[in-house]
Amino acid sequence: MRGATVESHKTTRPRPTTVPHKQSPTLPRKRWFALLGPAFVASIAYVDPGNVASNLSAGAEYGYLLVWVLVLANLMAVLVQYLSAKLGVVTGQSLPDLLGQRMRRGPRLLFWGQAEIVAAATDLAEVVGGAIALHILFGLPLLWGGVLVGAVSMLLLATQNGRNPRRFEALVVGLLVVITIGFMAGLVVSPVDWTGVSEGLVPRFQDSQSVLLAASMLGATVMPHAIYLHSALVCDRHGSPRGRADGMTGRLLKATRWDVVLGLVLAGSVNIGMLLMAAASLPGVPGTDSIEGAATAISDHLGPVVGLVFALGLLASGLASTSVGCYAGSAIMKGLLHVQLPLLARRAITLIPALAVLAVGWDPTWSLVVSQVVLSLGIPFAIIPLAKFTADRQLMGQWVNPMVIRVFAVVVTAAIVVLNVLLVVLTFSGLA
């Protein structure tokens, strides 16, 4: 009788309602589309003012020779940014959070120090770029232009909060649209030689200067603050993995892959578009190695309208990238120091070094070069832990990187570190 009771209980037990991960239904198209956004914010780092002069200079000096550099750089960036986003989706923690939990106090403070220097260098480039844009557009002195860029970036950051990150994302994506139009408008009037473009996909160099330029384009493409930032962005958007429906993490990762590919392809297209425009319309034109010189060359050779649109794109680039950089700095401080300053307070503090550089009267292009070298020195500290964490089965569980991705991650990490060291060496040897 007792056995019959047990058997009866087994037959009346309700069937599980959860769906196995591999058979989980796909998200409706509208809900899937709503998951996009964080990668587009992170991609701002790839179209900041620091990239403008190098892309235009490469096209003006060497034509289509270095197209392959930007294509390769974008492919590397897709992998790195996906790993950063994947880390945040799977663990519910940012890269700085995980580093802060695993490091002793002394090393953690030192790590935070170098990360803050990277954040300051990032902000310097963005504020200087925005100030140059305002000078081009309105003749505003660089110092006052920097103050105005800082003030507007505060307004952008005021829209960001942990409860509703989409407003900030929407504003930054809107600026990304302006950047895209501004930096690619010249292609409308530039007769691109597509045969030359196809030849430019073959890796090769012309002289030592082209090697230096390629190193600056490729080695400094992946910015350390973008790696820290992307993992924090997806945490703000998707939250902790605890309590997620069965199979939801897999669907989030699928949406994240699309987000990264679309965002980085857009940013990569903008960079390639700038090079193609310069190769088609500015071959041999002097002065394109500085932002102001490039803007003047564009206005002189492509018309004042294209020059105006380019300057507006440069301004949008400075505003968006400095806001995103401040966001990244806040995530770094929160994860490594366990201190969270209000974004507006942090914006005011980090604006000081950039304004000091402008007040002293340092050459803006020289300031950008120095900032890119500092960023290059900081890249190993971000990308090596990222590759290690995403290959850790204990941390990532079933979402640990498969062997193929591990190999690619190691190769890309080594290549980026070597190229950044090469960039620093060539930069200082060229200055000697």
Side-chain angles (χ1 to χ4, degrees):
M1 188 68 180
R2 184 178 177 183
T5 303
V6 173
E7 183 65 22
S8 174
H9 172 71
K10 288 184 178 179
T11 57
T12 58
R13 181 181 297 172
R15 295 181 178 179
T17 57
T18 57
V19 181
H21 166 66
K22 292 184 179 180
Q23 298 177 2
S24 57
T26 58
L27 287 172
R29 183 173 298 179
K30 290 183 179 179
R31 289 184 59 191
W32 180 87
F33 184 77
L35 296 175
L36 304 181
F40 285 83
V41 176
S43 69
I44 290 293
Y46 296 89
V47 288
D48 69 353
N51 294 325
V52 174
S54 60
N55 292 332
L56 293 178
S57 180
E61 292 185 35
Y62 295 101
Y64 304 102
L65 178 72
L66 300 178
V67 172
W68 66 272
V69 175
L70 292 179
V71 173
L72 181 59
N74 206 55
L75 292 175
M76 296 166 67
V78 168
L79 176 61
V80 172
Q81 294 304 139
Y82 173 67
L83 292 182
S84 177
K86 179 182 180 180
L87 183 68
V89 169
V90 173
T91 67
Q93 296 177 291
S94 69
L95 178 58
D97 288 335
L98 293 169
L99 287 167
Q101 293 169 8
R102 286 163 168 74
M103 300 177 74
R104 297 190 305 274
R105 177 177 172 80
R108 178 163 54 86
L109 292 177
L110 291 174
F111 194 99
W112 169 77
Q114 65 81 27
E116 282 293 344
I117 293 173
V118 165
T122 300
D123 207 43
L124 172 64
E126 325 308 17
V127 173
V128 168
I132 292 174
L134 288 172
H135 179 71
I136 294 171
L137 287 167
F138 307 110
L140 199 66
L142 291 178
L143 176 59
W144 291 110
V147 172
L148 186 56
V149 168
V152 175
S153 68
M154 286 185 178
L155 296 178
L156 289 174
L157 288 169
T159 66
Q160 197 286 329
N161 60 70
R163 296 183 301 275
N164 186 14
R166 296 187 184 184
R167 287 187 300 177
F168 179 71
E169 288 178 7
L171 285 172
V172 172
V173 170
L175 289 172
L176 180 59
V177 172
V178 177
I179 294 168
T180 302
I181 295 172
F183 288 166
M184 298 190 73
L187 286 177
V188 177
V189 294
S190 300
V192 176
D193 178 8
W194 294 108
T195 300
V197 173
S198 62
E199 294 174 353
L201 295 174
V202 179
R204 65 192 192 283
F205 300 103
Q206 181 172 312
D207 51 32
S208 60
Q209 180 62 27
S210 66
V211 176
L212 173 59
L213 197 53
S216 66
M217 294 163 65
L218 182 56
T221 291
V222 181
M223 295 289 102
H225 74 286
I227 301 174
Y228 297 125
L229 172 68
H230 204 160
S231 58
L233 287 170
V234 296
C235 290
D236 288 346
R237 170 64 88 88
H238 304 309
S240 172
R242 296 177 182 177
R244 283 179 188 162
D246 189 37
M248 188 60 190
T249 297
R251 294 194 290 275
L252 287 176
L253 287 176
K254 181 178 180 180
T256 296
R257 284 192 290 270
W258 278 105
D259 191 30
V260 171
V261 169
L262 293 174
L264 270 297
V265 165
L266 177 60
S269 298
V270 171
N271 284 317
I272 293 173
M274 284 191 282
L275 187 149
L276 297 185
M277 176 186 68
S281 302
L282 307 175
V285 175
T288 54
D289 55 342
S290 69
I291 294 180
E292 288 181 284
T296 300
I298 290 172
S299 295
D300 292 343
H301 292 79
L302 300 179
V305 174
V306 176
L308 175 63
V309 175
F310 172 82
L312 290 173
L314 179 62
L315 178 59
S317 172
L319 291 173
S321 53
T322 191
S323 301
V324 168
C326 185
Y327 193 144
S330 178
I332 291 169
M333 177 176 283
K334 177 184 176 184
L336 293 171
L337 290 190
H338 312 303
V339 174
Q340 187 169 12
L341 288 180
L343 277 174
L344 296 184
R346 183 176 175 86
R347 166 72 284 178
I349 294 172
T350 57
L351 188 61
I352 294 174
L355 294 181
V357 168
L358 293 174
V360 169
W362 285 1
D363 178 66
T365 300
W366 166 250
S367 301
L368 289 175
V369 170
V370 172
S371 71
Q372 296 304 304
V373 171
V374 173
L375 290 172
S376 298
L377 293 173
I379 193 68
F381 295 96
I383 195 170
I384 293 175
L386 176 66
K388 180 180 178 181
F389 285 155
T390 52
D392 185 343
R393 183 172 296 277
Q394 185 175 358
L395 179 65
M396 301 294 289
Q398 66 174 313
W399 307 111
V400 67
N401 289 340
M403 184 55 65
V404 173
I405 298 299
R406 293 185 201 182
V407 172
F408 275 117
V410 170
V411 171
V412 168
T413 298
I416 292 176
V417 171
V418 169
L419 286 166
N420 277 276
V421 171
L422 178 63
L423 170 62
V424 174
V425 171
L426 290 176
T427 298
F428 281 107
S429 63
L431 296 174

